[in-house]
Amino acid sequence: MTLDEYCALDGVALSELVRRREVEPKMLAELALRAIDAVNPKLNAVIGLTPRETAAALARNQPPVGPMAGVPFLIKDLGASIAGELQEWGSRLCKGHVADADAELTSRFKAAGVVTIGRTNVPEFGDCATTEPVLYGPTHNPWHLGRSPGGSSG
């Protein structure tokens, strides 16, 4: 699968390819990381990768199980903590905080079979309608880099 082919598919289509064994979850994770490398320098949407969790998710998905088995996934840096991974809530106050347990939502994501590969930028504590935290800087709109993508996560 090429990066262009990957980018043309949504999560449902990717999970179907995994279920039919036409593509391996590891390949999808690698493609997702290549896509991040290609666009994130301009967008600043992904603030960190989770290689330990990615490896654990790939191991859990052998064989692939769950409705979203093998689909690469980014988690917001708010609320849905992953044990042993950074969760900083977009705040300098929480910089370096490592979660000690999975949140219930994270447990459900894992049960669905997603492969978490990183964390997304967020407004500080999710308190703003735009993603412009001091900690990691603003996230830019992919269709117009001078504008905000809005929302509670970049």
Side-chain angles (χ1 to χ4, degrees):
M1 172 178 281
T2 68
L3 186 55
D4 287 339
E5 291 169 330
Y6 168 81
C7 291
L9 300 173
D10 65 10
V12 173
L14 292 173
S15 67
E16 184 58 32
L17 290 175
V18 169
R19 242 186 316 283
R20 293 192 316 242
R21 302 200 189 284
E22 294 178 28
V23 65
E24 292 290 320
K26 183 177 180 183
M27 175 189 278
L28 294 182
E30 290 168 355
L31 287 165
L33 291 169
R34 283 182 45 208
I36 290 168
D37 285 343
V39 300
N40 200 56
K42 290 182 181 178
L43 300 181
N44 193 38
V46 179
I47 57 170
L49 301 178
T50 56
R52 185 193 60 78
E53 175 56 28
T54 302
L58 290 170
R60 280 192 304 273
N61 275 300
Q62 293 301 325
V65 294
M68 299 304 285
V71 175
F73 188 70
L74 294 166
I75 198 158
K76 286 173 72 165
D77 195 34
L78 292 171
S81 60
I82 300 173
E85 296 289 350
L86 286 172
Q87 184 177 48
E88 300 168 309
W89 298 282
S91 175
R92 292 176 292 166
L93 180 66
C94 300
K95 185 169 177 58
H97 175 265
V98 176
D100 58 2
D102 285 349
E104 176 61 28
L105 182 57
T106 302
S107 297
R108 291 176 186 221
F109 288 150
K110 288 179 177 184
V114 298
V115 177
T116 300
I117 59 172
R119 299 179 300 133
T120 63
N121 204 359
V122 295
E124 188 169 11
F125 298 117
D127 285 341
C128 185
T130 60
T131 303
E132 302 171 335
V134 173
L135 179 59
Y136 289 108
T139 296
H140 304 284
N141 187 311
W143 291 277
H144 191 293
L145 295 176
R147 294 187 179 159
S148 169
S152 66
S153 61

